[in-house]
Structure formats: C-alpha cells, structure tokens
Amino acid sequence: MSDIESRIADTMLAKLRERDTSLGPDDLARPIADLDLDSLDMVELHQQLERELQVKGDLAETAGFAFLDEFTTYFVKLSSRG
Amino acid sequence: MSAGIVDIATAKPGRTIGNDHFAPIGLTDAWIRRRSGIASRSWLPDQTPLAEVAAEACAPIVTRMDDPSSIGALIVVSTSVRQRVPGVAQQVAHLLGLGPSVLAFDLNAACCGFVYGLAAGLSLCDGDPARPVLLCSVEAMSRLVDRTDRQTACIFADGSAAVLLAHRPEFAGLCRTAGCDGSGAGLMRETDEGGIHLEGAQVYDRAVRRMTEAARYLFDHGPAPTVLVGHQANGRILEQVRTFTADLGVPFVNRIEHSGNTSSATIPLAFAEELDAGSLPAEGRLGAVAYGAGEAWGGVSVDYRVPATTAC
C-alpha cells in the first residue's frame, strides 16, 4: 500500500469509526450501503480526503460510489495529477 | 474610531417543538439528532405578526439607551415575512416609538441576511457616526416549510434577535467579505406548491466551503476575531466548519441543539446565547460567517462590547 493509499484508508476508517468504533480495516471492502453511512457522511468523507491530500474532487462523482475502494482509486488518481 | 456591536437582545416567544412532533411523518429523535444535531426548536403561533416579534427583540435595547431618538436607522432582516407591503421595518419603528427621522427598511438575503445586514448597518454608522443603527433579524421559517416534508420540517425554526451598532473610540474597523452566485439559485428555493426545496448534499458541501473560506478571510484581512459564529444551518455543517477552522484557535459556536435553523436570525441568537451563558466575555471581536439561498455568502468581523447581562 502506498503512502497516499494508507492516508486514504486511515481517513476512511476514521469516518467509519465515528459511527461504529468496532469497525476495522477489513470493513473498508464492504459495500457502502451495508455500512452505517448517510449521504452527509459521504460529503464529509469527500471533504476530509480533499483536505488530507490537498486536492479538489468532484462531489457529483463520489456521491455515486457504491464501495469505499472507489474513493481510493479516485483520490489516488487525483493526487497523481499533482 | 469605528462602529461595532454595543448591545444585543433576543425574542423566542413561540412554543417548543420536540423531535417527537415529527414521529407522524416517520422521523425519529435519533435520526433528527444525527442528521441535524437538533433536539428541539421554537415555532411561533401562525397568526403572530413578525413585526411584533421583532419589536419584542428590539425593545430591551431601546429601553437601555440613554437617547433612543438618536437611532438613525432600523434594518429588519427577514426571509420568511409574507406581507411585503407595508415593510416590516416601518411597523417595528412604530411599535418601538422611534422618531420619524429613522431610515427604516427591510432586507432579505435568506440565511445570509444578518451578515449582509451587518455590512449595511456598519456602513450606515460610518456615514453618520452620531446615530446608532438597530439591526434586527426576525424569522418564522415554520410558516415557510412544508410541515410534512421529512427533509426540511424538522430543521427550520422561528425567532428574533437584534443588535445595536454604534461608534466607540476603542473599536477597530470592520472587515468583511461577501458574494453571491445566482447560478446556484436552484439549490435552495421556495417551491410553487409551498415548502422549501433543498439539494441537501450540494448545499452541505458548499456551505462548509463558503463559511470556512469566509472565516479564513476575516483572519487574513483584519484584526483576528475572538469568536466565530457561523449560520446555524445544521449541526453537521457546523461541526465540519469547526474542524476545518480549528487551526484558527478561537471558539466556533454551535448552538443549534435547542434552536434549530432560524435562517437569518441564527447568528445573533447563537451569539446572544453564548453571551448569556457566560461562555463568551462581554467584549471581544465577533467573526460572523454565513451561507444561504441565492446563493449568497459572506463574513463580517466586528468589535463588540455589550452590557454584561443581555438575556431577555
């Protein structure tokens, strides 16, 4: 796992644990619909990842994600563009 | 010498509406608290004139003044007043017994109205330093929402708050930033059928960004505020802005739990509650930031020195 992927995973796990402190890294692979996240959580996660990585994403794209893995792919790609 | 806030008072004469009120439309207390941070809010009786509520908020300030006839202007901010003619400000001036030389007018910039009103009122003070300006926000958002709408019914609330703006030798100058973008008008709008349409996720995102940017502008371009009060739109928005402005090192006020979203009145109501609770000193520098329908956004920082007891 790269440094950026690790920071993304940490940010996502922190968001999950705001809802359920028992969740761990394995839960990042579960469908978002199975997690206790609402639409505002998704916006908050988007903003926190932007802030962590100092990039600007498109909320309209991330709002449609079904898996948290998609955030990783999306923000790694954004970060690589510099 | 500059103008600042020298007095503040509030009025929330309605009945308290708890979250259990919304059970018939399928909302639970837990869901409302999680989604908005709101536990209760105040709703006015449907027939209470907003001019009377505004006058109730302003009255303690006028009573405390040595010379109320010195008031040069009265600005009444409201987005929920239904009667447009005559203006509310003239009615409030009459109820308060203010003289005929008062420049009285209404202002509507939705949830950003108090920040716009502060900018306008402080400018009027600068134009005529001997005459204080009374700025009052009054809202009955419960009359604007569709009370069966699960997205908005539990969020909005009613109330009024007023501040007196006047020059003091010790006050530093105001700092302000403001803007609008009419291309975002569809994000929050009153519908033809009645009620308020909200594009929740987009509004959330833009509110956090705009209020965070406005707060940072105030710190970068003027004397540092000692407290930040954001438009109390939603507890989740407030907590995110608080996180994103934590490095600024000043308190960021979140008083939405028992007030709800009173549109333009949230900032002075929250500020007054903090002062009343003793959470803030009676003098300092307020940084007020807001985002609302329009889109309209802005921030103002201004010195304040208010009477030790402002609770009404």
PDB file of all heavy atoms in Angstrom, chain B residues 237-274:
ATOM      1  N   ILE B 237     -23.009  20.537   9.500  1.00  0.00           N
ATOM      2  CA  ILE B 237     -22.253  21.581   8.804  1.00  0.00           C
ATOM      3  C   ILE B 237     -21.375  22.337   9.801  1.00  0.00           C
ATOM      4  O   ILE B 237     -20.184  22.573   9.555  1.00  0.00           O
ATOM      5  CB  ILE B 237     -23.220  22.560   8.093  1.00  0.00           C
ATOM      6  CG1 ILE B 237     -23.888  21.871   6.898  1.00  0.00           C
ATOM      7  CG2 ILE B 237     -22.490  23.827   7.627  1.00  0.00           C
ATOM      8  CD1 ILE B 237     -24.973  22.705   6.230  1.00  0.00           C
ATOM      9  N   LEU B 238     -21.960  22.681  10.927  1.00  0.00           N
ATOM     10  CA  LEU B 238     -21.207  23.455  11.918  1.00  0.00           C
ATOM     11  C   LEU B 238     -19.989  22.688  12.419  1.00  0.00           C
ATOM     12  O   LEU B 238     -18.901  23.258  12.577  1.00  0.00           O
ATOM     13  CB  LEU B 238     -22.122  23.824  13.090  1.00  0.00           C
ATOM     14  CG  LEU B 238     -23.243  24.817  12.763  1.00  0.00           C
ATOM     15  CD1 LEU B 238     -24.230  24.920  13.923  1.00  0.00           C
ATOM     16  CD2 LEU B 238     -22.673  26.185  12.445  1.00  0.00           C
ATOM     17  N   GLU B 239     -20.163  21.398  12.679  1.00  0.00           N
ATOM     18  CA  GLU B 239     -19.032  20.618  13.192  1.00  0.00           C
ATOM     19  C   GLU B 239     -17.930  20.477  12.144  1.00  0.00           C
ATOM     20  O   GLU B 239     -16.743  20.457  12.482  1.00  0.00           O
ATOM     21  CB  GLU B 239     -19.509  19.254  13.683  1.00  0.00           C
ATOM     22  CG  GLU B 239     -20.341  19.330  14.957  1.00  0.00           C
ATOM     23  CD  GLU B 239     -19.641  20.120  16.070  1.00  0.00           C
ATOM     24  OE1 GLU B 239     -18.474  19.811  16.382  1.00  0.00           O
ATOM     25  OE2 GLU B 239     -20.252  21.059  16.612  1.00  0.00           O
ATOM     26  N   GLN B 240     -18.331  20.373  10.873  1.00  0.00           N
ATOM     27  CA  GLN B 240     -17.312  20.274   9.820  1.00  0.00           C
ATOM     28  C   GLN B 240     -16.552  21.596   9.692  1.00  0.00           C
ATOM     29  O   GLN B 240     -15.329  21.604   9.554  1.00  0.00           O
ATOM     30  CB  GLN B 240     -17.985  19.899   8.481  1.00  0.00           C
ATOM     31  CG  GLN B 240     -17.005  19.536   7.373  1.00  0.00           C
ATOM     32  CD  GLN B 240     -16.479  18.105   7.469  1.00  0.00           C
ATOM     33  OE1 GLN B 240     -16.316  17.551   8.546  1.00  0.00           O
ATOM     34  NE2 GLN B 240     -16.213  17.511   6.323  1.00  0.00           N
ATOM     35  N   VAL B 241     -17.263  22.727   9.746  1.00  0.00           N
ATOM     36  CA  VAL B 241     -16.578  24.026   9.683  1.00  0.00           C
ATOM     37  C   VAL B 241     -15.689  24.202  10.912  1.00  0.00           C
ATOM     38  O   VAL B 241     -14.564  24.712  10.813  1.00  0.00           O
ATOM     39  CB  VAL B 241     -17.594  25.189   9.579  1.00  0.00           C
ATOM     40  CG1 VAL B 241     -16.869  26.536   9.590  1.00  0.00           C
ATOM     41  CG2 VAL B 241     -18.434  25.063   8.319  1.00  0.00           C
ATOM     42  N   ARG B 242     -16.181  23.753  12.048  1.00  0.00           N
ATOM     43  CA  ARG B 242     -15.360  23.844  13.269  1.00  0.00           C
ATOM     44  C   ARG B 242     -14.055  23.067  13.088  1.00  0.00           C
ATOM     45  O   ARG B 242     -12.976  23.547  13.439  1.00  0.00           O
ATOM     46  CB  ARG B 242     -16.138  23.293  14.462  1.00  0.00           C
ATOM     47  CG  ARG B 242     -15.313  23.230  15.733  1.00  0.00           C
ATOM     48  CD  ARG B 242     -16.110  22.633  16.866  1.00  0.00           C
ATOM     49  NE  ARG B 242     -16.962  23.619  17.501  1.00  0.00           N
ATOM     50  CZ  ARG B 242     -17.924  23.337  18.369  1.00  0.00           C
ATOM     51  NH1 ARG B 242     -18.177  22.072  18.659  1.00  0.00           N
ATOM     52  NH2 ARG B 242     -18.629  24.287  18.930  1.00  0.00           N
ATOM     53  N   THR B 243     -14.146  21.858  12.520  1.00  0.00           N
ATOM     54  CA  THR B 243     -12.937  21.056  12.267  1.00  0.00           C
ATOM     55  C   THR B 243     -11.984  21.774  11.327  1.00  0.00           C
ATOM     56  O   THR B 243     -10.770  21.831  11.555  1.00  0.00           O
ATOM     57  CB  THR B 243     -13.337  19.692  11.666  1.00  0.00           C
ATOM     58  OG1 THR B 243     -14.153  18.994  12.603  1.00  0.00           O
ATOM     59  CG2 THR B 243     -12.118  18.859  11.325  1.00  0.00           C
ATOM     60  N   PHE B 244     -12.560  22.363  10.260  1.00  0.00           N
ATOM     61  CA  PHE B 244     -11.725  22.974   9.227  1.00  0.00           C
ATOM     62  C   PHE B 244     -11.182  24.348   9.636  1.00  0.00           C
ATOM     63  O   PHE B 244     -10.344  24.914   8.932  1.00  0.00           O
ATOM     64  CB  PHE B 244     -12.509  23.098   7.916  1.00  0.00           C
ATOM     65  CG  PHE B 244     -12.764  21.771   7.229  1.00  0.00           C
ATOM     66  CD1 PHE B 244     -13.585  21.705   6.110  1.00  0.00           C
ATOM     67  CD2 PHE B 244     -12.180  20.598   7.694  1.00  0.00           C
ATOM     68  CE1 PHE B 244     -13.819  20.496   5.472  1.00  0.00           C
ATOM     69  CE2 PHE B 244     -12.421  19.381   7.067  1.00  0.00           C
ATOM     70  CZ  PHE B 244     -13.241  19.326   5.959  1.00  0.00           C
ATOM     71  N   THR B 245     -11.689  24.903  10.743  1.00  0.00           N
ATOM     72  CA  THR B 245     -11.172  26.198  11.216  1.00  0.00           C
ATOM     73  C   THR B 245     -10.494  26.064  12.582  1.00  0.00           C
ATOM     74  O   THR B 245     -10.180  27.062  13.220  1.00  0.00           O
ATOM     75  CB  THR B 245     -12.304  27.254  11.305  1.00  0.00           C
ATOM     76  OG1 THR B 245     -13.323  26.766  12.193  1.00  0.00           O
ATOM     77  CG2 THR B 245     -12.903  27.564   9.955  1.00  0.00           C
ATOM     78  N   ALA B 246     -10.277  24.828  13.008  1.00  0.00           N
ATOM     79  CA  ALA B 246      -9.716  24.602  14.346  1.00  0.00           C
ATOM     80  C   ALA B 246      -8.346  25.255  14.495  1.00  0.00           C
ATOM     81  O   ALA B 246      -7.991  25.730  15.579  1.00  0.00           O
ATOM     82  CB  ALA B 246      -9.621  23.101  14.618  1.00  0.00           C
ATOM     83  N   ASP B 247      -7.594  25.307  13.412  1.00  0.00           N
ATOM     84  CA  ASP B 247      -6.247  25.886  13.488  1.00  0.00           C
ATOM     85  C   ASP B 247      -6.270  27.396  13.743  1.00  0.00           C
ATOM     86  O   ASP B 247      -5.240  27.977  14.096  1.00  0.00           O
ATOM     87  CB  ASP B 247      -5.477  25.611  12.191  1.00  0.00           C
ATOM     88  CG  ASP B 247      -6.170  26.198  10.980  1.00  0.00           C
ATOM     89  OD1 ASP B 247      -7.341  25.848  10.726  1.00  0.00           O
ATOM     90  OD2 ASP B 247      -5.547  27.031  10.295  1.00  0.00           O
ATOM     91  N   LEU B 248      -7.421  28.027  13.569  1.00  0.00           N
ATOM     92  CA  LEU B 248      -7.516  29.473  13.813  1.00  0.00           C
ATOM     93  C   LEU B 248      -7.509  29.782  15.312  1.00  0.00           C
ATOM     94  O   LEU B 248      -7.270  30.928  15.711  1.00  0.00           O
ATOM     95  CB  LEU B 248      -8.776  30.054  13.160  1.00  0.00           C
ATOM     96  CG  LEU B 248      -8.826  29.917  11.627  1.00  0.00           C
ATOM     97  CD1 LEU B 248     -10.165  30.409  11.080  1.00  0.00           C
ATOM     98  CD2 LEU B 248      -7.676  30.681  10.978  1.00  0.00           C
ATOM     99  N   GLY B 249      -7.802  28.772  16.130  1.00  0.00           N
ATOM    100  CA  GLY B 249      -7.582  28.898  17.568  1.00  0.00           C
ATOM    101  C   GLY B 249      -8.606  29.692  18.343  1.00  0.00           C
ATOM    102  O   GLY B 249      -8.319  30.150  19.445  1.00  0.00           O
ATOM    103  N   VAL B 250      -9.816  29.873  17.775  1.00  0.00           N
ATOM    104  CA  VAL B 250     -10.866  30.584  18.523  1.00  0.00           C
ATOM    105  C   VAL B 250     -12.110  29.702  18.588  1.00  0.00           C
ATOM    106  O   VAL B 250     -12.292  28.810  17.756  1.00  0.00           O
ATOM    107  CB  VAL B 250     -11.233  31.943  17.867  1.00  0.00           C
ATOM    108  CG1 VAL B 250     -10.031  32.864  17.858  1.00  0.00           C
ATOM    109  CG2 VAL B 250     -11.794  31.753  16.472  1.00  0.00           C
ATOM    110  N   PRO B 251     -12.983  29.935  19.565  1.00  0.00           N
ATOM    111  CA  PRO B 251     -14.203  29.122  19.654  1.00  0.00           C
ATOM    112  C   PRO B 251     -15.066  29.272  18.403  1.00  0.00           C
ATOM    113  O   PRO B 251     -15.177  30.377  17.861  1.00  0.00           O
ATOM    114  CB  PRO B 251     -14.928  29.692  20.876  1.00  0.00           C
ATOM    115  CG  PRO B 251     -13.923  30.507  21.608  1.00  0.00           C
ATOM    116  CD  PRO B 251     -12.914  30.956  20.623  1.00  0.00           C
ATOM    117  N   PHE B 252     -15.658  28.157  17.963  1.00  0.00           N
ATOM    118  CA  PHE B 252     -16.633  28.190  16.874  1.00  0.00           C
ATOM    119  C   PHE B 252     -17.960  27.725  17.467  1.00  0.00           C
ATOM    120  O   PHE B 252     -18.074  26.608  17.960  1.00  0.00           O
ATOM    121  CB  PHE B 252     -16.201  27.285  15.719  1.00  0.00           C
ATOM    122  CG  PHE B 252     -17.135  27.367  14.533  1.00  0.00           C
ATOM    123  CD1 PHE B 252     -16.967  28.359  13.582  1.00  0.00           C
ATOM    124  CD2 PHE B 252     -18.186  26.481  14.392  1.00  0.00           C
ATOM    125  CE1 PHE B 252     -17.832  28.460  12.505  1.00  0.00           C
ATOM    126  CE2 PHE B 252     -19.058  26.573  13.322  1.00  0.00           C
ATOM    127  CZ  PHE B 252     -18.875  27.565  12.377  1.00  0.00           C
ATOM    128  N   VAL B 253     -18.936  28.599  17.437  1.00  0.00           N
ATOM    129  CA  VAL B 253     -20.177  28.385  18.179  1.00  0.00           C
ATOM    130  C   VAL B 253     -21.122  27.424  17.460  1.00  0.00           C
ATOM    131  O   VAL B 253     -21.379  27.572  16.262  1.00  0.00           O
ATOM    132  CB  VAL B 253     -20.887  29.744  18.417  1.00  0.00           C
ATOM    133  CG1 VAL B 253     -22.278  29.530  19.007  1.00  0.00           C
ATOM    134  CG2 VAL B 253     -20.038  30.619  19.337  1.00  0.00           C
ATOM    135  N   ASN B 254     -21.629  26.451  18.203  1.00  0.00           N
ATOM    136  CA  ASN B 254     -22.682  25.560  17.715  1.00  0.00           C
ATOM    137  C   ASN B 254     -23.791  25.541  18.767  1.00  0.00           C
ATOM    138  O   ASN B 254     -23.658  24.910  19.810  1.00  0.00           O
ATOM    139  CB  ASN B 254     -22.136  24.146  17.490  1.00  0.00           C
ATOM    140  CG  ASN B 254     -23.221  23.184  17.006  1.00  0.00           C
ATOM    141  OD1 ASN B 254     -24.405  23.538  16.954  1.00  0.00           O
ATOM    142  ND2 ASN B 254     -22.823  21.974  16.652  1.00  0.00           N
ATOM    143  N   ARG B 255     -24.847  26.260  18.511  1.00  0.00           N
ATOM    144  CA  ARG B 255     -25.975  26.362  19.444  1.00  0.00           C
ATOM    145  C   ARG B 255     -27.256  25.853  18.807  1.00  0.00           C
ATOM    146  O   ARG B 255     -28.354  26.288  19.167  1.00  0.00           O
ATOM    147  CB  ARG B 255     -26.167  27.823  19.859  1.00  0.00           C
ATOM    148  CG  ARG B 255     -25.185  28.293  20.898  1.00  0.00           C
ATOM    149  CD  ARG B 255     -25.773  28.114  22.288  1.00  0.00           C
ATOM    150  NE  ARG B 255     -24.813  28.382  23.337  1.00  0.00           N
ATOM    151  CZ  ARG B 255     -25.051  28.152  24.611  1.00  0.00           C
ATOM    152  NH1 ARG B 255     -26.212  27.644  24.980  1.00  0.00           N
ATOM    153  NH2 ARG B 255     -24.153  28.407  25.518  1.00  0.00           N
ATOM    154  N   ILE B 256     -27.138  24.936  17.868  1.00  0.00           N
ATOM    155  CA  ILE B 256     -28.314  24.539  17.096  1.00  0.00           C
ATOM    156  C   ILE B 256     -29.206  23.562  17.866  1.00  0.00           C
ATOM    157  O   ILE B 256     -30.394  23.435  17.547  1.00  0.00           O
ATOM    158  CB  ILE B 256     -27.904  23.933  15.732  1.00  0.00           C
ATOM    159  CG1 ILE B 256     -29.080  24.024  14.752  1.00  0.00           C
ATOM    160  CG2 ILE B 256     -27.394  22.500  15.882  1.00  0.00           C
ATOM    161  CD1 ILE B 256     -28.725  23.781  13.321  1.00  0.00           C
ATOM    162  N   GLU B 257     -28.695  22.901  18.879  1.00  0.00           N
ATOM    163  CA  GLU B 257     -29.421  21.796  19.506  1.00  0.00           C
ATOM    164  C   GLU B 257     -30.832  22.186  19.955  1.00  0.00           C
ATOM    165  O   GLU B 257     -31.782  21.430  19.738  1.00  0.00           O
ATOM    166  CB  GLU B 257     -28.634  21.248  20.701  1.00  0.00           C
ATOM    167  CG  GLU B 257     -29.329  20.033  21.320  1.00  0.00           C
ATOM    168  CD  GLU B 257     -28.532  19.435  22.474  1.00  0.00           C
ATOM    169  OE1 GLU B 257     -27.537  20.057  22.893  1.00  0.00           O
ATOM    170  OE2 GLU B 257     -28.920  18.351  22.939  1.00  0.00           O
ATOM    171  N   HIS B 258     -30.971  23.344  20.559  1.00  0.00           N
ATOM    172  CA  HIS B 258     -32.293  23.741  21.051  1.00  0.00           C
ATOM    173  C   HIS B 258     -32.836  24.984  20.344  1.00  0.00           C
ATOM    174  O   HIS B 258     -33.751  25.631  20.845  1.00  0.00           O
ATOM    175  CB  HIS B 258     -32.243  23.957  22.559  1.00  0.00           C
ATOM    176  CG  HIS B 258     -31.931  22.702  23.309  1.00  0.00           C
ATOM    177  ND1 HIS B 258     -32.786  21.620  23.358  1.00  0.00           N
ATOM    178  CD2 HIS B 258     -30.815  22.328  23.995  1.00  0.00           C
ATOM    179  CE1 HIS B 258     -32.234  20.646  24.051  1.00  0.00           C
ATOM    180  NE2 HIS B 258     -31.043  21.051  24.446  1.00  0.00           N
ATOM    181  N   SER B 259     -32.249  25.312  19.186  1.00  0.00           N
ATOM    182  CA  SER B 259     -32.713  26.478  18.434  1.00  0.00           C
ATOM    183  C   SER B 259     -33.172  26.130  17.026  1.00  0.00           C
ATOM    184  O   SER B 259     -34.043  26.807  16.474  1.00  0.00           O
ATOM    185  CB  SER B 259     -31.601  27.541  18.349  1.00  0.00           C
ATOM    186  OG  SER B 259     -31.343  28.075  19.621  1.00  0.00           O
ATOM    187  N   GLY B 260     -32.556  25.113  16.419  1.00  0.00           N
ATOM    188  CA  GLY B 260     -32.862  24.821  15.031  1.00  0.00           C
ATOM    189  C   GLY B 260     -32.315  25.903  14.116  1.00  0.00           C
ATOM    190  O   GLY B 260     -31.542  26.779  14.530  1.00  0.00           O
ATOM    191  N   ASN B 261     -32.746  25.839  12.861  1.00  0.00           N
ATOM    192  CA  ASN B 261     -32.274  26.791  11.848  1.00  0.00           C
ATOM    193  C   ASN B 261     -33.309  27.901  11.696  1.00  0.00           C
ATOM    194  O   ASN B 261     -34.358  27.695  11.099  1.00  0.00           O
ATOM    195  CB  ASN B 261     -32.053  26.051  10.525  1.00  0.00           C
ATOM    196  CG  ASN B 261     -31.552  26.959   9.414  1.00  0.00           C
ATOM    197  OD1 ASN B 261     -31.702  28.184   9.478  1.00  0.00           O
ATOM    198  ND2 ASN B 261     -30.973  26.371   8.392  1.00  0.00           N
ATOM    199  N   THR B 262     -32.994  29.070  12.257  1.00  0.00           N
ATOM    200  CA  THR B 262     -33.901  30.218  12.158  1.00  0.00           C
ATOM    201  C   THR B 262     -33.461  31.170  11.046  1.00  0.00           C
ATOM    202  O   THR B 262     -33.681  32.380  11.133  1.00  0.00           O
ATOM    203  CB  THR B 262     -33.957  30.986  13.493  1.00  0.00           C
ATOM    204  OG1 THR B 262     -32.617  31.339  13.875  1.00  0.00           O
ATOM    205  CG2 THR B 262     -34.587  30.151  14.596  1.00  0.00           C
ATOM    206  N   SER B 263     -32.837  30.617  10.015  1.00  0.00           N
ATOM    207  CA  SER B 263     -32.405  31.398   8.848  1.00  0.00           C
ATOM    208  C   SER B 263     -31.567  32.600   9.285  1.00  0.00           C
ATOM    209  O   SER B 263     -30.587  32.427  10.000  1.00  0.00           O
ATOM    210  CB  SER B 263     -33.616  31.809   8.008  1.00  0.00           C
ATOM    211  OG  SER B 263     -33.191  32.371   6.779  1.00  0.00           O
ATOM    212  N   SER B 264     -31.971  33.806   8.901  1.00  0.00           N
ATOM    213  CA  SER B 264     -31.101  34.963   9.153  1.00  0.00           C
ATOM    214  C   SER B 264     -30.906  35.249  10.638  1.00  0.00           C
ATOM    215  O   SER B 264     -29.977  35.976  11.006  1.00  0.00           O
ATOM    216  CB  SER B 264     -31.677  36.205   8.481  1.00  0.00           C
ATOM    217  OG  SER B 264     -32.817  36.679   9.176  1.00  0.00           O
ATOM    218  N   ALA B 265     -31.752  34.697  11.494  1.00  0.00           N
ATOM    219  CA  ALA B 265     -31.660  35.025  12.924  1.00  0.00           C
ATOM    220  C   ALA B 265     -30.683  34.130  13.687  1.00  0.00           C
ATOM    221  O   ALA B 265     -30.429  34.368  14.875  1.00  0.00           O
ATOM    222  CB  ALA B 265     -33.039  34.952  13.569  1.00  0.00           C
ATOM    223  N   THR B 266     -30.135  33.106  13.024  1.00  0.00           N
ATOM    224  CA  THR B 266     -29.336  32.143  13.799  1.00  0.00           C
ATOM    225  C   THR B 266     -28.085  32.763  14.411  1.00  0.00           C
ATOM    226  O   THR B 266     -27.718  32.434  15.543  1.00  0.00           O
ATOM    227  CB  THR B 266     -28.896  30.921  12.960  1.00  0.00           C
ATOM    228  OG1 THR B 266     -27.957  31.328  11.959  1.00  0.00           O
ATOM    229  CG2 THR B 266     -30.073  30.212  12.325  1.00  0.00           C
ATOM    230  N   ILE B 267     -27.418  33.626  13.675  1.00  0.00           N
ATOM    231  CA  ILE B 267     -26.134  34.150  14.177  1.00  0.00           C
ATOM    232  C   ILE B 267     -26.337  35.020  15.417  1.00  0.00           C
ATOM    233  O   ILE B 267     -25.691  34.763  16.450  1.00  0.00           O
ATOM    234  CB  ILE B 267     -25.363  34.881  13.058  1.00  0.00           C
ATOM    235  CG1 ILE B 267     -24.848  33.864  12.033  1.00  0.00           C
ATOM    236  CG2 ILE B 267     -24.197  35.700  13.639  1.00  0.00           C
ATOM    237  CD1 ILE B 267     -24.183  34.478  10.817  1.00  0.00           C
ATOM    238  N   PRO B 268     -27.219  36.028  15.380  1.00  0.00           N
ATOM    239  CA  PRO B 268     -27.379  36.812  16.613  1.00  0.00           C
ATOM    240  C   PRO B 268     -27.997  36.011  17.753  1.00  0.00           C
ATOM    241  O   PRO B 268     -27.671  36.251  18.921  1.00  0.00           O
ATOM    242  CB  PRO B 268     -28.271  37.980  16.181  1.00  0.00           C
ATOM    243  CG  PRO B 268     -28.973  37.501  14.955  1.00  0.00           C
ATOM    244  CD  PRO B 268     -27.990  36.604  14.262  1.00  0.00           C
ATOM    245  N   LEU B 269     -28.870  35.048  17.441  1.00  0.00           N
ATOM    246  CA  LEU B 269     -29.430  34.217  18.512  1.00  0.00           C
ATOM    247  C   LEU B 269     -28.343  33.369  19.179  1.00  0.00           C
ATOM    248  O   LEU B 269     -28.261  33.297  20.405  1.00  0.00           O
ATOM    249  CB  LEU B 269     -30.538  33.304  17.963  1.00  0.00           C
ATOM    250  CG  LEU B 269     -31.912  33.928  17.756  1.00  0.00           C
ATOM    251  CD1 LEU B 269     -32.831  32.979  16.981  1.00  0.00           C
ATOM    252  CD2 LEU B 269     -32.556  34.286  19.099  1.00  0.00           C
ATOM    253  N   ALA B 270     -27.498  32.747  18.369  1.00  0.00           N
ATOM    254  CA  ALA B 270     -26.434  31.904  18.919  1.00  0.00           C
ATOM    255  C   ALA B 270     -25.423  32.745  19.693  1.00  0.00           C
ATOM    256  O   ALA B 270     -24.952  32.345  20.769  1.00  0.00           O
ATOM    257  CB  ALA B 270     -25.742  31.130  17.799  1.00  0.00           C
ATOM    258  N   PHE B 271     -25.101  33.902  19.150  1.00  0.00           N
ATOM    259  CA  PHE B 271     -24.150  34.803  19.818  1.00  0.00           C
ATOM    260  C   PHE B 271     -24.705  35.243  21.173  1.00  0.00           C
ATOM    261  O   PHE B 271     -24.007  35.222  22.193  1.00  0.00           O
ATOM    262  CB  PHE B 271     -23.901  36.000  18.897  1.00  0.00           C
ATOM    263  CG  PHE B 271     -22.879  36.985  19.383  1.00  0.00           C
ATOM    264  CD1 PHE B 271     -21.679  36.573  19.941  1.00  0.00           C
ATOM    265  CD2 PHE B 271     -23.105  38.350  19.262  1.00  0.00           C
ATOM    266  CE1 PHE B 271     -20.724  37.492  20.382  1.00  0.00           C
ATOM    267  CE2 PHE B 271     -22.175  39.279  19.693  1.00  0.00           C
ATOM    268  CZ  PHE B 271     -20.978  38.848  20.255  1.00  0.00           C
ATOM    269  N   ALA B 272     -25.979  35.607  21.191  1.00  0.00           N
ATOM    270  CA  ALA B 272     -26.610  36.048  22.437  1.00  0.00           C
ATOM    271  C   ALA B 272     -26.655  34.918  23.458  1.00  0.00           C
ATOM    272  O   ALA B 272     -26.425  35.143  24.657  1.00  0.00           O
ATOM    273  CB  ALA B 272     -28.021  36.567  22.159  1.00  0.00           C
ATOM    274  N   GLU B 273     -26.940  33.709  22.986  1.00  0.00           N
ATOM    275  CA  GLU B 273     -26.985  32.574  23.915  1.00  0.00           C
ATOM    276  C   GLU B 273     -25.620  32.315  24.535  1.00  0.00           C
ATOM    277  O   GLU B 273     -25.519  31.994  25.731  1.00  0.00           O
ATOM    278  CB  GLU B 273     -27.486  31.318  23.188  1.00  0.00           C
ATOM    279  CG  GLU B 273     -28.990  31.333  22.920  1.00  0.00           C
ATOM    280  CD  GLU B 273     -29.455  30.059  22.221  1.00  0.00           C
ATOM    281  OE1 GLU B 273     -28.809  29.012  22.385  1.00  0.00           O
ATOM    282  OE2 GLU B 273     -30.468  30.123  21.514  1.00  0.00           O
ATOM    283  N   GLU B 274     -24.573  32.437  23.749  1.00  0.00           N
ATOM    284  CA  GLU B 274     -23.225  32.250  24.283  1.00  0.00           C
ATOM    285  C   GLU B 274     -22.893  33.317  25.320  1.00  0.00           C
ATOM    286  O   GLU B 274     -22.309  33.026  26.361  1.00  0.00           O
ATOM    287  CB  GLU B 274     -22.193  32.312  23.140  1.00  0.00           C
ATOM    288  CG  GLU B 274     -22.214  31.117  22.229  1.00  0.00           C
ATOM    289  CD  GLU B 274     -21.594  29.880  22.863  1.00  0.00           C
ATOM    290  OE1 GLU B 274     -20.420  29.922  23.272  1.00  0.00           O
ATOM    291  OE2 GLU B 274     -22.300  28.857  22.944  1.00  0.00           O
TER     292      GLU B 274
END
